[in-house]
Amino acid sequence: MSRRRAERSVLPTRDQWWDAAFLVVGSATALLGLGSTYPGWSFLVVGMAGLLLAMVIAHLTHVSRLPGVAAVAGAIVAFFLLGPVLCLRAEGYVLPGPGAWSALTDQVVFGWKDLLTTLPPIDGRGPLLVLPFVLGLSTGLLGTLGARVQAGPAWLRVVLPVFAPLLLLAAVILLGLRQPHHLMLSGGLTAAAALGWLILRSHRTQTQVRGGAGRLSRLAAGGAILALAAGAASPVATWATGGDDKGRVVLRTYVEPPFDVGQYPSPLAGFRTYVKYPSNPPKSNVYDRELLTVQGMPAGRRLRFAVLDNYDGVVWGASNQALPGVDNDTYQRVGPSLDNDTDGEEIEAKVVLGEAYKGVWLPLAGNLQDIDFETQADLHSQEFRYNLEAAGGVMPTGLRPGDAYTFTSVIPADDVTEKEQPSAVLSSAGMDQPWLVEAADKLSDPAAPPMQRVFQIANKLHSQGKYSDGVAGREVIYTPGHYVERLGRGFLNATQIVGNAEQYSAAMALLANSVGVPARVVLGAVVPEGGQVKGADVTAWVELRVADGSWRTLSTETYMSRQKPADEQTKKKQQQSGVVIPPPAQVPPPSTMGEQTDTEITPRVIKQAEKKKAIATMPSWLRAILLYAGGPLLGIALLLAMIVGLKVLRRRRRRTAGATSSRIVSGWRELTDHARDLGVAVPTRGVTRSEQAALLPSGGASALARRTDLVVFAPTAPDSDAVTAYWAEVAAERRALSEGASRLRRWRAVVDPRTLFRR
């Protein structure tokens, strides 16, 4: 004889309501830890929406007696149906479809990498909202299903659901920053909620003891203890860790950014592109051509093109982690704004690139606060990389004439004097060149402090050196480049120091590093009156890192002379060398700004940009309808899809799960449930199967009822073939019932949820 299953109400019990409340509180406080990564509150809204949605799905699955995999399937369906409107609205997706599903899948696979390689705060409305949505869905499923587990040891049933918010907190910490956000809320309250939940669930498993304090009093006392413990946790933890977060483990520290800025040629090696030729300049020369126009930036300010912080013996180039132990010294994606606090003058400037500007290096000034691309906005905003330490930006997809953008920056104090203390974090650039130590000792007092030696070297270079671009007359003997041979025997150790901003800046930065002052070379321009920057305005200068971690400018005028070499000296060098025009540099100068080919453009980002462009061509009235009606329509579609899916899973489980006799009894239930869906009033309690069959408008129902009773009271269980034959007859009867109903009634029967819940 089959056993009746325990009846379950669709409404949660009191204990289930308490479990849900603790899960919501613990998860919400854990998600607050992402506040330093996402601006605003969109991430919390989306994450909590995913949490509540998963909790409802898991609860409905439980009361329908479906396996846990059904809840997982429902959550996946909900993800693809509601994900577009919740997470991809800024991308133009408001309804599910192949494009939206492709974007969601892309974020699930690559979003974690994009998040960890993007400088926070990231775009709080963009596709990276998929991540908190997934975290919320996962936590809701684990917490609700874990709370409904009835098998296993009592202690395991108590702690199992509590792991969900704790795992969420661990994930938030790993995906977050080294500096915690909302420490008391995210850590203290999550721990307090988890501890209170453990106490409550443990109390349920214990025998109730009468007498003593009332339940309300015990709850109040327990809450006070939890609040006291949570309040004491923060100062105790601060004392135990020494008051810093150096031991905080975050994935951002260990994940190597996928972007390698060192792949691009050094623009300093092509410095002669900007110098003036007396006649017949090469086609690549841009001395008299417009590079860009800048508005809103005062004349005399410096506009950085490229920040070069690594020297390999051939060229000064850009790199990641040029300074050991500095976390923000990498080129990473950025959101619409940056957490780049600094003191100084704030400026808002607009840059429009001219016909002569090409390449990957993005002209910027000061410490960037936010940037808005006006051309190819989707592509450029996703591909732009910025280095907080270098204060330099690069566009891997390349820049073209006509590209325009607006940025806000803070120009910090930029003066440096001999009294400044240098930073203790020393760059390794040029440290493998022992001849630099000898050159530095010759140009400065070895016993002087490092910063004083830098200014002594600068004064000697300025007073003893001469200036030449090496493009006119006999001056062609002064070759381009800044490789070791050119800076050694051809510059610092030559009879006469001669060069232009390329050689002077490259040598000055190497000499500063050799005496203990971190230095780097910057290629850029000094903004002229009117804001039109030409090749003639481009120069190079040196920046020094001082004790507070800021970089200060050592202008080219400090160490570079403008006096021309004497004709006698030039003629004498020609006679000594025996040649008029020396061999070219070891490495031919690359193109002006490291121009990129189309094959190097990120295919994934371009594909996404093309999809969003296609959506943008949609009529405005249609986009408005989809935007405002899409959410409710998706909610209805999700609910209907869940009902259909649950019915399909229930029918399959009835047909395949349990003993053969139980499967036949379940077949009769399937038939009566289908009749109820079609509007037939079939009672489920207090009547026999024969009485139920008499109410069904089909000819074979009575025979099926008798066969079911025979199986239930038979001494032996039927075989599998009998079950298969029985279910085939049930399917035929279901079709007969459907054919006797109207088309509208049949459609309503598909989505009628009442038979999913036993009364």
Side-chain angles (χ1 to χ4, degrees):
M1 184 175 179
S2 62
R3 297 176 299 175
R4 275 192 179 179
R5 298 178 181 177
E7 297 180 359
R8 302 177 186 178
S9 171
V10 65
L11 295 176
T13 63
R14 184 181 62 180
D15 289 342
Q16 290 171 350
W17 278 117
W18 275 109
D19 288 337
F22 274 105
L23 180 59
V24 168
V25 173
S27 301
T29 54
L31 281 172
L32 281 175
L34 292 175
S36 57
T37 304
Y38 292 86
W41 298 99
S42 297
F43 76 96
L44 185 62
V45 173
V46 171
M48 293 306 296
L51 177 82
L52 296 175
L53 184 62
M55 292 172 63
V56 172
I57 293 173
H59 174 70
L60 293 178
T61 304
H62 175 71
V63 298
S64 301
R65 297 183 176 87
L66 294 174
V69 68
V72 176
I76 294 175
V77 172
F79 172 74
F80 283 106
L81 288 180
L82 283 181
V85 69
L86 288 175
C87 309
L88 302 179
R89 294 176 65 179
E91 305 294 296
Y93 298 109
V94 290
L95 287 177
W101 295 335
S102 175
L104 287 173
T105 305
D106 180 85
Q107 287 303 313
V108 172
V109 176
F110 299 105
W112 312 96
K113 179 183 67 176
D114 293 343
L115 177 69
L116 294 173
T117 56
T118 300
L119 288 171
I122 64 174
D123 188 357
R125 302 170 302 161
L128 288 179
L129 283 176
V130 171
L131 301 182
F133 187 47
V134 171
L135 290 175
L137 281 172
S138 304
T139 305
L141 282 179
L142 291 175
T144 305
L145 293 179
R148 308 297 172 86
V149 171
Q150 301 297 326
W155 67 267
L156 182 60
R157 298 198 306 271
V158 168
V159 303
L160 195 58
V162 185
F163 280 122
L166 296 180
L167 289 175
L168 175 62
L169 179 62
V172 167
I173 292 174
L174 291 174
L175 294 173
L177 305 179
R178 187 178 294 275
Q179 296 79 22
H181 185 73
H182 293 309
L183 178 61
M184 190 63 189
L185 286 175
S186 184
L189 289 186
T190 302
L195 186 58
W197 198 6
L198 280 174
I199 295 173
L200 179 65
R201 291 184 60 81
S202 177
H203 181 71
R204 295 176 191 166
T205 64
Q206 299 174 359
T207 304
Q208 299 295 324
V209 179
R210 297 187 180 274
R215 184 174 185 178
L216 184 60
S217 301
R218 294 197 302 271
L219 286 176
I225 294 174
L226 288 177
L228 181 62
S234 179
V236 170
T238 302
W239 170 80
T241 58
D244 57 44
D245 298 297
K246 293 183 179 180
R248 188 180 178 93
V249 178
V250 294
L251 293 178
R252 190 178 296 271
T253 306
Y254 300 97
V255 173
E256 185 70 21
F259 175 72
D260 179 18
V261 71
Q263 64 184 297
Y264 301 114
S266 169
L268 185 63
F271 189 78
R272 281 198 176 180
T273 307
Y274 310 104
V275 304
K276 183 178 181 180
Y277 280 75
S279 62
N280 300 321
K283 293 183 179 180
S284 61
N285 187 264
V286 296
Y287 179 82
D288 290 323
R289 299 174 63 188
E290 179 187 344
L291 295 179
L292 57 91
T293 300
V294 57
Q295 301 174 359
M297 192 170 176
R301 294 293 190 186
R302 297 180 182 273
L303 196 64
R304 289 187 181 93
F305 291 172
V307 180
L308 312 173
D309 48 19
N310 180 60
Y311 186 72
D312 59 4
V314 179
V315 293
W316 273 96
S319 67
N320 288 316
Q321 298 293 347
L323 294 175
V326 178
D327 294 336
N328 58 2
D329 190 14
T330 57
Y331 285 82
Q332 301 183 54
R333 287 186 178 89
V334 301
S337 61
L338 287 84
D339 185 10
N340 195 12
D341 294 336
T342 187
D343 296 327
E345 176 191 0
E346 183 175 297
I347 64 168
E348 182 176 349
K350 179 180 180 179
V351 176
V352 180
L353 301 184
E355 60 176 358
Y357 197 98
K358 298 179 181 179
V360 299
W361 308 99
L362 194 73
L364 294 169
N367 294 332
L368 187 66
Q369 304 297 307
D370 61 69
I371 186 167
D372 181 24
F373 294 97
E374 299 180 10
T375 55
Q376 303 186 73
D378 292 333
L379 179 62
H380 284 166
S381 61
Q382 290 191 51
E383 283 299 282
F384 173 59
R385 265 80 168 185
Y386 186 76
N387 187 315
L388 287 173
E389 180 67 24
V394 64
M395 185 66 66
T397 53
L399 296 166
R400 299 292 183 266
D403 283 346
Y405 56 94
T406 302
F407 68 89
T408 302
S409 286
V410 173
I411 309 297
D414 203 28
D415 298 332
V416 60
T417 65
E418 296 183 16
K419 297 181 180 180
E420 295 282 357
Q421 292 297 318
S423 170
V425 182
L426 192 61
S427 169
S428 62
M431 288 304 181
D432 56 347
Q433 308 295 331
W435 59 271
L436 285 170
V437 177
E438 181 181 349
D441 291 344
K442 183 175 66 174
L443 296 171
S444 64
D445 180 8
M451 192 64 76
Q452 290 186 17
R453 294 191 66 186
V454 168
F455 278 86
Q456 290 173 4
I457 293 171
N459 292 333
K460 285 288 183 65
L461 290 178
H462 188 275
S463 61
Q464 298 179 7
K466 305 297 179 182
Y467 181 89
S468 174
D469 287 319
V471 296
R474 293 178 177 178
E475 294 181 10
V476 295
I477 62 174
Y478 302 116
T479 61
H482 52 280
Y483 50 96
V484 171
E485 183 70 15
R486 177 67 176 92
L487 295 183
R489 290 196 301 172
F491 187 71
L492 293 175
N493 295 328
T495 304
Q496 176 64 62
I497 298 176
V498 181
N500 58 15
E502 176 187 359
Q503 289 79 40
Y504 275 98
S505 297
M508 186 70 240
L510 291 174
L511 290 169
N513 273 322
S514 69
V515 300
V517 179
R520 64 192 184 193
V521 179
V522 179
L523 181 73
V526 177
V527 178
E529 292 289 343
Q532 187 182 53
V533 178
K534 296 183 177 181
D537 301 308
V538 175
T539 185
W541 61 87
V542 173
E543 290 184 345
L544 307 175
R545 195 172 197 261
V546 297
D548 63 1
S550 63
W551 290 88
R552 308 293 180 88
T553 298
L554 187 66
S555 65
T556 312
E557 291 74 14
T558 306
Y559 50 83
M560 185 178 72
S561 172
R562 279 291 179 176
Q563 295 182 2
K564 291 288 186 177
D567 290 341
E568 294 78 9
Q569 294 173 338
T570 303
K571 184 176 180 180
K572 181 179 180 181
K573 182 171 182 179
Q574 287 181 354
Q575 294 172 349
Q576 289 176 345
S577 63
V579 293
V580 176
I581 301 177
Q586 294 180 2
V587 177
S591 60
T592 305
M593 303 302 290
E595 186 173 352
Q596 297 300 292
T597 63
D598 291 339
T599 57
E600 294 175 329
I601 298 177
T602 307
R604 180 168 68 94
V605 176
I606 294 182
K607 186 176 180 181
Q608 293 174 351
E610 290 175 350
K611 290 179 181 179
K612 287 186 283 186
K613 184 178 180 181
I615 294 173
T617 60
M618 188 182 299
S620 58
W621 61 269
L622 181 57
R623 277 187 293 168
I625 291 175
L626 295 178
L627 182 64
Y628 295 106
L633 290 176
L634 280 177
I636 295 173
L638 173 63
L639 180 61
L640 298 181
M642 286 177 53
I643 293 171
V644 174
L646 289 174
K647 285 189 176 183
V648 171
L649 289 173
R650 182 186 64 181
R651 184 163 58 250
R652 182 180 181 277
R653 189 168 184 270
R654 283 173 169 178
R655 189 177 66 250
T656 59
T660 53
S661 57
S662 298
R663 287 150 62 184
I664 286 181
V665 172
S666 297
W668 176 257
R669 290 176 178 167
E670 182 67 25
L671 179 61
T672 56
D673 284 344
H674 184 63
R676 291 171 59 207
D677 287 337
L678 290 171
V680 180
V682 182
T684 58
R685 302 183 62 182
V687 293
T688 64
R689 294 184 183 91
S690 297
E691 292 172 335
Q692 288 178 327
L695 299 174
L696 299 181
S698 60
S702 297
L704 282 175
R706 288 193 297 272
R707 288 183 57 185
T708 306
D709 289 337
L710 289 175
V711 168
V712 171
F713 297 104
T716 59
D719 56 19
S720 298
D721 292 339
V723 174
T724 302
Y726 181 88
W727 270 90
E729 294 183 28
V730 169
E733 289 299 316
R734 290 179 77 251
R735 287 193 296 270
L737 287 172
S738 298
E739 291 172 357
S742 65
R743 179 176 298 180
L744 179 60
R745 184 70 256 184
R746 291 199 300 269
W747 280 104
R748 288 179 58 187
V750 174
V751 295
D752 192 333
R754 288 177 295 177
T755 58
L756 291 174
F757 313 119
R758 293 194 175 276
R759 298 176 181 175

